[in-house]
Amino acid sequence: MPRVNPIDKYRNIGIIAHIDAGKTTTTERILFYTGKTYRLGSVDEGTTVTDWMAQERERGITIVSAAVTAEWKGYQINVIDTPGHIDFTAEVQRSLRVLDGGVVVFDATQGVEPQSETVWRQADRYGVPRICFINKMDRIGASYEESVASIRRRLGANPIPMQIPIGTEGNFRGVVDLLTREAMVWEDAQGVDVQTIDVPLDLKDQLEEQRAALVEKIAELDDVLTVKFLEDHEISIPELKAALRKAVINNQATPVFCGSSLKNKGVQPVLDAVIDYLPSPIDIPDAQGTHPETDEVINLPSDDSAPLSALVFKIVTDPYVGRLAYLRVYSGTLSQGSMVFNPIKRKRERIGRLLRMYADRREDITEVYAGDIAAILGLKESFTGDTLCDIAKPVVLENISFPEPVISIAIEPKTTVDQDRMGEALRKLSEEDPTFKVRSDETTGQTIISGMGELHLDVLVDRMLREFKVQANVGNPRVAYRETITRALNNVDYKYVRQTGGHGQYGHVVFNMEPLGRGSGIVFENRIVGGVIPKEYISPIEKGVMEASESGVLAGYPFTDVKVTLVDGSYHEVDSSEMAFKMAAIFAFKAGAEKGAPVLLEPIMKVEIIIPEEYLGDVLGQLSSRRGSITGTEMRHGNAQAVRAFVPLAEMFGYATELRSISQGRGIFTMEFDHYAQVSNAVAEKILNS
């Protein structure tokens, strides 16, 4: 079956923003204006398409990213609505990994907020071109100019305002397009009828002034237009659009639009901008992968006839049809019923049903072409981050990296019937969410689940109850501490010798160990020369180091930020084995950890609190009592103050209630994991004795 739309008419975009900036409402308006829905979904009423989970509708927030497909002016737009809450940051990361462009939504009364910064940096990391939409222009305190200034100031971006708002706050009714000099207003309740009117008299001077600035900014981005501008030649609108599109795709500029999604004003120009300025799959550099055996770099053009390469970026457990795998096809064509290869698992997979996803609804299709996003039903071995490729042309695409969990709770089933159900539920939930970890505590026999925050774990426990019918008792939240060494050690020597009937066991390793900077993890380096230890034993030694690092010497917390260098050792012709060297590595690591002046590390959260100015002193005192380190304060719209601080996660439990109490319910805060830091001796003693 041939393509319906040529590849240059595809747009894969994500709607990304801080929590409560209006992402889901904007997505709902996109679906309505593109004819995908026939009524306007409301977050408050729980009638949205993309927030389809019960937990999302009850809380009024997005928890899982939802993919929908729409058409606008002959273009196919694959839209992913992502969560804004930091606890669900993995959903944003994996979406950005496979998207070609993004629409970043900002609240006009707040400008750049903490999670706006986080998603912006994530988009920078993946090189995703963006346009901005300043939403909620109808709200009291809304400011288009202030919001644009905060994008420039706090994100270090190059925002280019494309419109002038007509009216302010409650009187906001439309926009003036700076390029075309057209004024557009939305007078009907559903915002379907875009009326073009004469530019209001009080905006005419501002229009000409800002249009001249716009033309100059765009001309600066293109050498040919720079010459035309300096020679005072007229630059046409198609020339300006082409230059701006090129700059957006190269991440040199970000066009900014404004409107009010809730009041159905300003969304259609954003859809036009998606087509005009965001890239199609062929406008971005070809994806690259590596050969699984030789590590040779392989170029993967966005071409239907090229060898297949696709990345699985999300797993969803559907109660009716089983496990769904969302994937992005980078090259080639994926056909229903075909056999593909997973080079990471070294397994073949048969493609069962191919589906075009529409949030929680689906439509069967027979083929997925290069540049498209779809879902597969029936994969047995492939999970998030895995590559699917042509059996004859194996290639591995870059995986998706996720942050480590920072909070844990103990969970146990209420009855023996719940025991088996709980194991199955935890397995399926951990397959879906790479930031959700499950392990057994060897000392207590408890099942420990770990995640990115209290809300994250609360939602997962709620899903266990509703979707998997598991009744469980949940313990109090616990912080995911880490251990590390503070002293470098040379020649940590360990011989593992065991004499049993028949062959014995012999493994001998000598390590150097040194502390690394925060966030480095465990690094293993092999410096063995001259065959002192045969090559086949190096991998078991590394496995032993990694296994030993999972349980520390102070309180059993995982080790991190340590470099282990294998410098010497010896082997026995008969008695040496992979197991012997692995055990030698485990014991050597433990011995070195004990001698390396081990310390506890705790997760430090980046916190931003917004409160009316009169509560500033109380909040600062509150943070100091929680071992917080204030990094700055900033005036916001009105008399609001934003306080930024670093606070240990252990001190943030119950903070929401305390902040509400101290600010009469008017304070809000956001927090996200930032780094690990050493715990003071007094606090460490308290933790170790608890």
Side-chain angles (χ1 to χ4, degrees):
M1 187 177 119
R3 263 184 191 277
V4 176
N5 293 309
I7 193 167
D8 64 333
K9 296 211 165 181
Y10 275 78
R11 298 289 184 272
N12 295 314
I13 66 162
I15 311 292
I16 56 177
H18 183 89
I19 189 168
D20 205 30
K23 295 178 303 301
T24 300
T25 304
T26 303
T27 307
E28 290 297 318
R29 297 319 182 252
I30 288 172
L31 295 178
F32 181 73
Y33 297 132
T34 56
K36 275 292 179 181
T37 55
Y38 300 99
R39 63 190 294 270
L40 291 165
S42 165
V43 172
D44 295 333
E45 293 170 15
T47 56
T48 58
V49 171
T50 52
D51 282 357
W52 54 270
M53 288 171 62
Q55 292 84 355
E56 293 178 311
R57 291 182 169 175
E58 286 169 4
R59 291 169 171 81
I61 61 169
T62 303
I63 291 170
V64 296
S65 53
V68 290
T69 300
E71 291 218 0
W72 182 252
K73 298 184 177 178
Y75 286 76
Q76 178 176 315
I77 305 176
N78 294 322
V79 183
I80 296 184
D81 176 28
T82 65
H85 198 287
I86 189 63
D87 282 17
F88 310 105
T89 187
E91 292 288 325
V92 184
Q93 276 184 254
R94 59 177 162 198
S95 299
L96 287 171
R97 170 67 179 81
V98 297
L99 293 170
D100 300 328
V103 177
V104 189
V105 183
F106 297 91
D107 182 333
T109 67
Q110 301 294 331
V112 175
E113 296 176 90
Q115 187 63 4
S116 314
E117 286 192 60
T118 304
V119 296
W120 192 274
R121 305 293 172 227
Q122 288 171 331
D124 279 344
R125 181 180 162 203
Y126 290 115
V128 177
R130 280 143 277 175
I131 61 175
C132 296
F133 178 53
I134 310 294
N135 190 26
K136 303 190 179 184
M137 287 295 297
D138 59 305
R139 297 274 290 271
I140 293 171
S143 171
Y144 182 55
E145 294 76 15
E146 271 295 311
S147 298
V148 172
S150 72
I151 293 170
R152 184 178 293 108
R153 184 176 66 250
R154 295 192 64 176
L155 302 177
N158 180 21
I160 298 185
M162 303 298 291
Q163 298 170 332
I164 301 172
I166 300 174
T168 58
E169 299 179 346
N171 296 319
F172 174 75
R173 54 193 282 258
V175 297
V176 179
D177 187 305
L178 290 175
L179 270 185
T180 61
R181 294 185 172 94
E182 284 183 346
M184 293 172 277
V185 293
W186 288 263
E187 302 288 5
D188 63 310
Q190 295 192 323
V192 176
D193 183 20
V194 186
Q195 295 180 25
T196 304
I197 62 167
D198 292 334
V199 176
L201 288 173
D202 60 330
L203 293 179
K204 285 198 170 180
D205 290 345
Q206 187 182 346
L207 166 62
E208 292 309 317
E209 183 185 319
Q210 292 199 17
R211 191 180 192 280
L214 173 72
V215 171
E216 183 176 358
K217 276 188 177 179
I218 297 175
E220 286 173 1
L221 300 166
D222 184 277
D223 292 342
V224 175
L225 294 193
T226 301
V227 174
K228 284 188 88 168
F229 181 80
L230 292 173
E231 292 177 353
D232 230 10
H233 293 307
E234 182 71 23
I235 302 174
S236 68
I237 291 174
E239 285 178 310
L240 290 167
K241 280 190 171 183
L244 183 54
R245 175 181 174 79
K246 185 179 173 186
V248 171
I249 291 170
N250 291 332
N251 278 305
Q252 296 172 311
T254 312
V256 185
F257 301 83
C258 66
S260 169
S261 296
L262 187 64
K263 295 296 171 68
N264 312 314
K265 295 176 171 65
V267 176
Q268 292 95 331
V270 174
L271 277 168
D272 290 338
V274 166
I275 288 165
D276 288 341
Y277 304 118
L278 291 181
S280 73
I282 55 173
D283 292 322
I284 57 173
D286 291 344
Q288 290 191 323
T290 55
H291 193 282
E293 304 293 339
T294 63
D295 286 339
E296 171 201 353
V297 176
I298 299 171
N299 212 45
L300 303 165
S302 297
D303 185 340
D304 298 344
S305 58
L308 173 70
S309 65
L311 183 73
V312 177
F313 67 93
K314 182 178 168 69
I315 297 290
V316 174
T317 302
D318 189 292
Y320 302 107
V321 296
R323 193 167 71 219
L324 279 168
Y326 284 73
L327 83 168
R328 159 77 187 259
V329 176
Y330 284 94
S331 64
T333 303
L334 187 64
S335 303
Q336 188 174 315
S338 61
M339 190 69 80
V340 296
F341 183 57
N342 180 335
I344 296 170
K345 304 283 172 55
R346 299 183 180 278
K347 300 275 188 182
R348 294 186 178 199
E349 294 265 32
R350 180 168 291 283
I351 303 301
R353 287 170 65 191
L354 285 174
L355 304 167
R356 169 86 57 220
M357 293 308 297
Y358 186 57
D360 61 332
R361 288 174 277 165
R362 59 197 75 82
E363 166 198 335
D364 280 280
I365 54 177
T366 56
E367 288 182 308
V368 186
Y369 300 98
D372 207 353
I373 291 172
I376 304 177
L377 198 59
L379 293 184
K380 300 281 193 298
E381 307 287 344
S382 302
F383 296 95
T384 300
D386 283 354
T387 302
L388 297 179
C389 62
D390 194 311
I391 295 167
K393 302 270 186 174
V395 63
V396 177
L397 291 159
E398 181 193 349
N399 206 330
I400 311 170
S401 58
F402 296 103
E404 284 296 309
V406 295
I407 187 171
S408 304
I409 55 174
I411 187 167
E412 57 185 35
K414 285 187 176 177
T415 67
T416 50
V417 175
D418 291 316
Q419 179 77 50
D420 292 337
R421 282 187 190 162
M422 189 176 90
E424 180 68 7
L426 292 176
R427 181 183 65 79
K428 287 183 175 177
L429 290 171
S430 60
E431 285 175 0
E432 283 189 27
D433 186 346
T435 59
F436 176 57
K437 306 285 186 191
V438 183
R439 65 181 175 87
S440 290
D441 189 312
E442 292 176 8
T443 53
T444 63
Q446 287 179 306
T447 299
I448 307 295
I449 59 174
S450 307
M452 299 306 297
E454 290 179 272
L455 178 62
H456 186 201
L457 293 180
D458 182 40
V459 166
L460 289 165
V461 170
D462 191 39
R463 286 188 62 193
M464 282 174 57
L465 175 65
R466 296 195 197 195
E467 292 175 32
F468 301 98
K469 307 293 185 280
V470 176
Q471 299 284 343
N473 295 317
V474 179
N476 290 325
R478 299 192 302 179
V479 177
Y481 293 102
R482 294 286 186 268
E483 297 181 21
T484 192
I485 59 172
T486 55
R487 183 191 304 151
L489 300 162
N490 289 326
N491 301 321
V492 178
D493 192 314
Y494 193 90
K495 276 185 186 173
Y496 180 79
V497 182
R498 296 289 185 274
Q499 206 56 50
T500 57
H503 290 313
Q505 293 285 336
Y506 181 92
H508 175 211
V509 296
V510 181
F511 289 158
N512 289 345
M513 296 174 69
E514 59 183 294
L516 294 176
R518 297 292 162 258
S520 304
I522 301 293
V523 177
F524 176 80
E525 185 180 335
N526 171 33
R527 280 204 201 147
I528 292 294
V529 290
V532 176
I533 298 175
K535 280 185 181 175
E536 61 265 28
Y537 297 137
I538 303 301
S539 181
I541 292 170
E542 183 175 0
K543 283 179 186 167
V545 167
M546 296 304 171
E547 192 173 305
S549 70
E550 290 171 9
S551 177
V553 295
L554 289 175
Y557 293 110
F559 250 80
T560 189
D561 303 338
V562 178
K563 182 177 181 181
V564 178
T565 307
L566 176 62
V567 292
D568 203 358
S570 62
Y571 74 103
H572 190 280
E573 290 282 0
V574 177
D575 291 348
S576 285
S577 66
E578 290 189 1
M579 179 54 72
F581 273 100
K582 182 180 174 184
M583 295 306 296
I586 289 172
F587 285 115
F589 185 94
K590 296 284 187 191
E594 287 176 355
K595 294 174 188 170
V599 294
L600 273 182
L601 302 174
E602 64 179 343
I604 304 296
M605 311 304 283
K606 184 165 75 172
V607 180
E608 180 161 301
I609 303 148
I610 297 174
I611 31 81
E613 194 170 13
E614 59 263 36
Y615 304 114
L616 180 62
D618 292 336
V619 166
L620 293 177
Q622 202 181 52
L623 288 174
S624 296
S625 70
R626 289 174 177 261
R627 296 194 285 131
S629 167
I630 313 297
T631 59
T633 61
E634 181 184 43
M635 281 297 295
R636 289 290 173 86
H637 297 312
N639 75 331
Q641 279 276 359
V643 180
R644 290 191 294 279
F646 288 120
V647 189
L649 174 62
E651 302 290 344
M652 289 304 293
F653 295 133
Y655 182 67
T657 306
E658 194 176 323
L659 179 65
R660 274 198 296 270
S661 169
I662 211 170
S663 66
Q664 299 181 1
R666 295 163 69 190
I668 58 169
F669 82 99
T670 57
M671 70 174 184
E672 60 181 288
F673 170 72
D674 191 80
H675 64 280
Y676 272 93
Q678 185 175 332
V679 176
S680 69
N681 291 337
V683 176
E685 199 172 316
K686 192 175 168 186
I687 294 165
L688 295 174
N689 293 332
S690 63

